[in-house]
Amino acid sequence: MAKDMTLLWGSGSPPCWRIMIVLEEKNLQGYNQKLLSFEKGEHKSKEVMEINPRGQLPAFKCGDVPLNESCAACFHLECKYKSQGTKLIPDCEDEKAQILQRVFEVNALTEKSSIVLYYNWIVPEGERHDSAVKRNKEALTAELKLWEGYLQKASSGFIVGKDFSLADVIVYPTVAYLFQNGLSEQRYPKLAEYYKGLMNRPSIKASWPPTWKNAPKQETLKDI
Amino acid sequence: MAKDMILLWGSGSPPCWRVMIALEEKNLQGYNQKLFSLEKLEHKSKELLDINPRGQLPTFKHGDNVLNESYAACFYLESQFKSQGTKLIPDGPAEQALMYQRMFEGLTFYEKLNVVIYYFFDWFVPEGERHESALKRNKEALVTELRLWEGYLQKLGSGSYLAGPSFTLADVVVFPTVGTVFRFGLSPERYPKLGEYYNLLKERPSVKASWPPHWLESPKGLDTLKDI
């Protein structure tokens, strides 16, 4: 059960956060966990590499089985613990289809926001171009408008349907991360409503990134 | 059933190929389909945008259900048609977990491949923004990734699929990427386990039936990856 699980994680990392939300939702509190620091390079430590040869966080083990990809862990946990805690994937095939679609669309949102947030980290100085920065910002803006549109159509405070689902598990940490990095609540009111609406959900509150609690928000995305 | 489905696809696109393999495995041949030309940028047409506001392929619809993300479509098909065709999600928890893990690592594999093979395409990197240093770095990252997969297959032994003894969703979603690496000239001598896996899967009926038509027309392929 929870005692057979180990999670090595970093504060504020959406993939780590997703797993923590699922563990809370499935009543699997009490799992072994260790908070590591990206800044200190602890994600490349021996301890992490033993579970995740890619040297990335999350590094998660369910018994002996490594599940280091956050979506893999979330899907597996929902399947294995289907009968306990919140039902994250409904039986209704139509709703399931919408949930699956949104879950996998998050990849586009993650990629487009990462290339803007981390441009100077990912791209060495001699390879940077203003044309690329501009294009990346425009792509992120278009992507955010899509999600703003999805939430416009949503009616119950969840990304799909009337209940909290796996789609929210995957989407919420990414959206919260964007606001933590200065995304404008005025320009993206539906996203902001979604972000604030789920902030106090027990699983989200319990797993809120500790380093965000007293830290001021970054401003990187304020002009997007 | 299949007649209520429509797939808009492009030849040689791994995401499209994934959905086609899944449809074959679930005995859903006879679905409506339309082949778009990726070169002629037909994928921005109105017909496509009406179903997929992102204007991307694959675009898949079953009745009112729209699944434009290939992984979403594959999971959906396995769930909706669980009782027919091949069982694509194994029951054993360890095998199932490994399947999920490899499926999602498959996304990383696909991304690392694309930044090498499409580096010189304008829609990927405009000419003025290309750098030898970037391409070199991307190639090194791809080699690291390929070695990881080579290791995964080594551990499981000959004749194995990605998650163990049975063909699963992991193979559905990752094989198209493997097919593409060899199409672009990867050396099976340097990556023997991947070569073995490729030879095993290319004979599978669902893979054969959905093999990219333009690859059949010109079997030779490219040599972008021959030296890595």
Side-chain angles (χ1 to χ4, degrees):
Chain A
M1 299 295 284
K3 285 289 166 208
D4 301 319
M5 300 179 189
T6 302
L7 176 68
L8 306 179
W9 59 289
S11 177
S13 145
C16 297
W17 197 359
R18 289 170 189 148
I19 301 183
M20 294 168 81
I21 293 172
V22 173
L23 289 165
E24 293 286 329
E25 291 284 341
K26 304 309 286 183
N27 294 338
L28 292 163
Q29 299 89 346
Y31 56 91
N32 305 299
Q33 57 83 11
K34 191 167 176 181
L35 170 58
L36 297 174
S37 159
F38 288 110
E39 286 86 19
K40 293 185 195 158
E42 286 173 352
H43 54 300
K44 299 292 179 191
S45 68
K46 186 167 178 293
E47 188 178 17
V48 174
M49 300 292 274
E50 268 166 15
I51 304 177
N52 188 353
R54 292 176 181 273
Q56 290 172 331
L57 296 175
F60 178 67
K61 239 172 40 158
C62 200
D64 288 326
V65 185
L67 282 159
N68 303 312
E69 301 299 315
S70 65
C71 288
C74 293
F75 270 98
H76 181 73
L77 289 168
E78 171 59 14
C79 244
K80 192 168 181 189
Y81 298 100
K82 205 189 282 256
S83 54
Q84 69 183 66
T86 316
K87 193 170 172 60
L88 296 169
I89 301 179
D91 292 322
C92 165
E93 290 295 337
D94 292 353
E95 220 178 305
K96 202 187 282 193
Q98 283 183 67
I99 288 170
L100 286 169
Q101 174 64 19
R102 293 293 175 256
V103 162
F104 291 102
E105 275 191 85
V106 175
N107 206 39
L109 180 58
T110 301
E111 275 177 23
K112 290 176 193 184
S113 50
S114 297
I115 193 69
V116 170
L117 285 164
Y118 305 124
Y119 190 72
N120 293 336
W121 189 270
I122 296 170
V123 184
E125 201 174 339
E127 295 173 19
R128 293 175 202 158
H129 296 270
D130 287 339
S131 49
V133 172
K134 180 171 182 282
R135 195 175 54 250
N136 294 339
K137 285 185 174 169
E138 285 167 1
L140 177 57
T141 305
E143 185 69 26
L144 288 165
K145 288 200 172 122
L146 255 181
W147 291 90
E148 188 73 7
Y150 295 153
L151 284 162
Q152 192 95 30
K153 293 194 198 111
S155 52
S156 311
F158 306 109
I159 189 89
V160 172
K162 299 194 175 65
D163 303 295
F164 185 85
S165 71
L166 191 69
D168 298 291
V169 172
I170 305 298
V171 171
Y172 188 86
T174 300
V175 171
Y177 193 80
L178 295 171
F179 284 109
Q180 183 69 18
N181 278 278
L183 191 71
S184 160
E185 293 183 16
Q186 287 75 39
R187 235 171 272 141
Y188 301 98
K190 288 289 169 190
L191 277 161
E193 205 181 298
Y194 176 73
Y195 164 63
K196 288 179 186 162
L198 283 174
M199 235 182 226
N200 290 312
R201 188 177 175 88
S203 62
I204 290 178
K205 220 170 162 181
S207 55
W208 197 267
T211 52
W212 291 7
K213 282 174 186 161
N214 296 314
K217 290 185 178 176
Q218 304 295 305
E219 292 207 318
T220 325
L221 301 178
K222 71 172 166 52
D223 297 322
I224 299 283
Chain B
M1 302 297 282
K3 286 290 165 205
D4 302 317
M5 297 176 178
I6 179 154
L7 175 70
L8 309 182
W9 61 290
S11 179
S13 146
C16 297
W17 200 358
R18 291 167 189 152
V19 182
M20 293 168 81
I21 292 173
L23 287 161
E24 293 285 331
E25 290 287 340
K26 303 311 287 183
N27 293 341
L28 292 163
Q29 298 87 348
Y31 57 90
N32 302 295
Q33 56 85 9
K34 184 164 176 179
L35 172 59
F36 281 69
S37 158
L38 296 171
E39 285 88 25
K40 293 181 200 161
L41 296 177
E42 281 178 351
H43 58 292
K44 294 292 181 190
S45 80
K46 184 176 187 300
E47 181 179 9
L48 174 54
L49 287 165
D50 279 343
I51 313 177
N52 186 353
R54 291 176 181 276
Q56 290 172 329
L57 298 171
T59 288
F60 178 70
K61 212 170 149 188
H62 176 215
D64 291 325
N65 293 330
V66 175
L67 287 310
N68 302 322
E69 299 299 316
S70 63
Y71 277 49
C74 292
F75 272 114
Y76 171 80
L77 289 168
E78 174 58 13
S79 174
Q80 181 90 283
F81 299 100
K82 205 189 282 257
S83 52
Q84 68 183 66
T86 316
K87 188 176 170 60
L88 295 172
I89 300 181
D91 288 324
E95 213 181 325
Q96 202 186 103
L98 185 59
M99 177 202 81
Y100 283 124
Q101 173 63 16
R102 294 294 179 253
M103 280 183 81
F104 289 97
E105 283 185 272
L107 288 169
T108 304
F109 186 6
Y110 176 62
E111 281 168 24
K112 294 200 174 163
L113 175 63
N114 287 346
V115 296
V116 173
I117 61 177
Y118 297 127
Y119 197 71
F120 294 102
F121 286 67
D122 281 330
W123 52 267
F124 200 78
V125 183
E127 199 174 338
E129 294 175 17
R130 292 175 202 154
H131 298 269
E132 273 304 316
S133 48
L135 183 57
K136 179 169 182 286
R137 197 173 52 247
N138 295 343
K139 281 183 174 175
E140 286 166 3
L142 179 58
V143 168
T144 304
E145 188 69 24
L146 287 163
R147 288 195 182 134
L148 259 180
W149 291 87
E150 192 69 9
Y152 295 155
L153 286 162
Q154 178 95 27
K155 240 171 133 177
L156 287 166
S158 270
S160 181
Y161 297 95
L162 286 171
S166 338
F167 179 89
T168 67
L169 273 184
D171 305 288
V172 172
V173 302
V174 178
F175 177 78
T177 303
V178 175
T180 305
V181 298
F182 286 107
R183 172 75 181 173
F184 278 79
L186 191 76
S187 156
E189 286 77 39
R190 239 173 266 142
Y191 300 93
K193 292 292 164 192
L194 280 164
E196 213 180 288
Y197 176 73
Y198 171 75
N199 287 331
L200 171 67
L201 272 280
K202 76 180 196 321
E203 298 306 324
R204 193 174 174 89
S206 62
V207 171
K208 264 177 122 155
S210 54
W211 198 263
H214 80 284
W215 290 11
L216 289 170
E217 286 159 30
S218 33
K220 196 171 172 288
L222 297 108
D223 61 3
T224 321
L225 302 178
K226 76 170 167 43
D227 295 323
I228 70 158

